[in-house]
Amino acid sequence: MDLLRHLRLFVTVADELHFSRAAERLGMAQPPLSQAIRRLEKELGTELFDRSQRGVRLSAAGAALLEEAHELLAREERLRTLARRAADGGLGTLRAGVPPDTTAAVLSALLSACAEHAPGLSVDLQEVTTEEQLRLLSCGGLDVGLVHHPVDATDLRLGPEISLALGIVLPRTSPLARLPEVRLGELSGHDLVLFPRAYAPGWYDRILDVCRAEGFVPGRLRHASNPEFLLALVMAGQGVAFDQGPVARKEPRVAWRPLADRPLTLRISGAWPAGRGAHPAAGRFAELARGVLARDHTAHTRHDGISGQGDEPPRPWSVVYG
């Protein structure tokens, strides 16, 4: 016996106190409705309605049952709602990886967007390089990540990308700092400061491939895991570095210039495991993250104008870490 279904029929009859009107409201014939109520009464071992020629009214047992039936049906609806929200990714915990050096402003905007979209979802953000994110995604240690392309996405689904053009960070005293923009080939002979290859091997190799194709073969490669150390190396004349701009503009002893023809474009997107085991909120998180990054990029682009100059707070991943 489907007890909840029979309780719904009972509640409707109790509301109407008329079998014909209740049947019409339920979209069914009266005889099956009467039979269903009789089955419920038999199951419970008591009559729920007093039936007479003058009409139908609740029995003492029916009146006692009605309030409990309403509460039980309401709980069933809440249970179904919770199940739907969980299936849609609106409940539970989402473990999300973000690249190192993500700014507080972007983290706050991303968490606010997630809270607005799914108030019942707890987002556990973890600072993880692209390479480590890929490993954790493959072994179940993360539900979703924000990665730098290119990546091996054989077992992953990828969300919408955002592309960010990079410029060059130079010592303020460099002759190239006097130019409005710099060609990669003009950097030939300079040392280059990059993030460690282990952070994002695909993106690291892509940078060097583009440099070589454009005529820039670094005299020496230096590595910096920390943005402050990277800028210190540039200030000391130990190399040049690629950057989106804002971090470098906060340091008066270096200069940032756009690269001619925009040969280096940082591509970022969400990534999560393919298959049925994926967290239901992973794809939506990737969309929200792209929206946050796009708004941040647009805001800074409008602030910079054509020249690319000006002081401002740093953007996420502005020193191009994995």
Side-chain angles (χ1 to χ4, degrees):
M1 178 183 181
D2 186 344
L3 179 60
L4 291 175
R5 173 179 176 275
H6 282 72
L7 286 177
R8 280 191 287 272
L9 300 181
F10 160 70
V11 167
T12 304
V13 175
D15 287 345
E16 296 291 340
L17 290 179
H18 194 285
F19 275 86
S20 294
R21 287 198 301 269
E24 183 178 354
R25 179 174 154 188
L26 290 164
M28 61 187 299
Q30 180 181 336
L33 175 59
S34 297
Q35 293 167 11
I37 296 300
R38 287 295 187 190
R39 282 195 295 272
L40 177 61
E41 290 174 324
K42 182 178 179 181
E43 178 73 18
L44 297 177
T46 184
E47 290 191 351
L48 302 175
F49 295 99
D50 293 330
R51 302 164 177 86
S52 68
Q53 291 183 347
R54 290 179 295 177
V56 177
R57 64 178 182 176
L58 282 167
S59 67
L65 178 65
L66 183 59
E67 183 177 349
E68 291 294 331
H70 276 299
E71 178 59 27
L72 184 58
L73 293 174
R75 288 183 179 180
E76 181 209 18
E77 183 56 34
R78 288 196 295 270
L79 181 64
R80 291 181 182 276
T81 299
L82 286 174
R84 286 193 295 269
R85 288 177 61 193
D88 293 339
L91 293 176
T93 299
L94 178 72
R95 300 164 301 169
V98 296
D101 306 307
T102 307
T103 66
V106 168
L107 287 177
S108 177
L110 180 55
L111 289 173
S112 295
C114 291
E116 181 179 355
H117 173 71
L121 180 68
S122 173
V123 180
D124 176 16
L125 287 182
Q126 304 176 31
E127 182 187 68
V128 197
T129 66
T130 290
E131 187 69 2
E132 182 66 5
Q133 285 187 51
L134 297 177
R135 186 189 70 79
L136 291 172
L137 288 169
S138 67
C139 71
L142 278 180
D143 300 311
V144 64
L146 295 179
V147 298
H148 291 169
H149 291 257
V151 295
D152 180 4
T154 304
D155 298 321
L156 297 175
R157 296 186 63 185
L158 299 176
E161 291 184 9
I162 181 170
S163 297
L164 306 171
L166 302 182
I168 191 74
V169 185
L170 305 155
R172 177 65 67 179
T173 56
S174 170
L176 295 176
R178 302 169 190 165
L179 302 176
E181 61 181 19
V182 177
R183 294 191 175 277
L184 274 178
E186 294 175 306
L187 298 169
S188 185
H190 285 75
D191 293 344
L192 177 62
V193 185
L194 279 178
F195 56 88
R197 185 179 183 276
Y199 281 22
W203 174 227
Y204 182 100
D205 293 343
R206 171 66 178 163
I207 290 174
L208 294 182
D209 288 343
V210 171
C211 287
R212 283 191 289 266
E214 295 288 328
F216 172 31
V217 179
R220 178 181 175 186
L221 280 175
R222 301 176 182 273
H223 296 107
S225 302
N226 183 286
E228 295 296 328
F229 182 55
L230 180 145
L231 289 178
L233 289 176
V234 175
M235 284 186 283
Q238 299 296 305
V240 297
F242 297 118
D243 176 67
Q244 296 171 41
V247 165
R249 293 193 193 97
K250 301 244 339 149
E251 173 50 64
R253 290 168 290 181
V254 301
W256 180 90
R257 295 293 178 266
L259 289 170
D261 301 324
R262 310 300 185 262
L264 285 175
T265 301
L266 173 62
R267 294 158 50 221
I268 304 171
S269 79
W272 63 96
R276 295 183 178 180
H279 195 291
R284 184 58 180 152
F285 176 87
E287 293 177 4
L288 292 172
R290 189 202 180 282
V292 168
L293 293 174
R295 287 191 294 272
D296 180 76
H297 177 62
T298 299
H300 284 293
T301 299
R302 289 173 178 170
H303 184 276
D304 293 348
I306 297 175
S307 67
Q309 302 303 304
D311 294 327
E312 58 183 275
R315 281 208 300 269
W317 306 296
S318 54
V319 200
V320 200
Y321 282 73

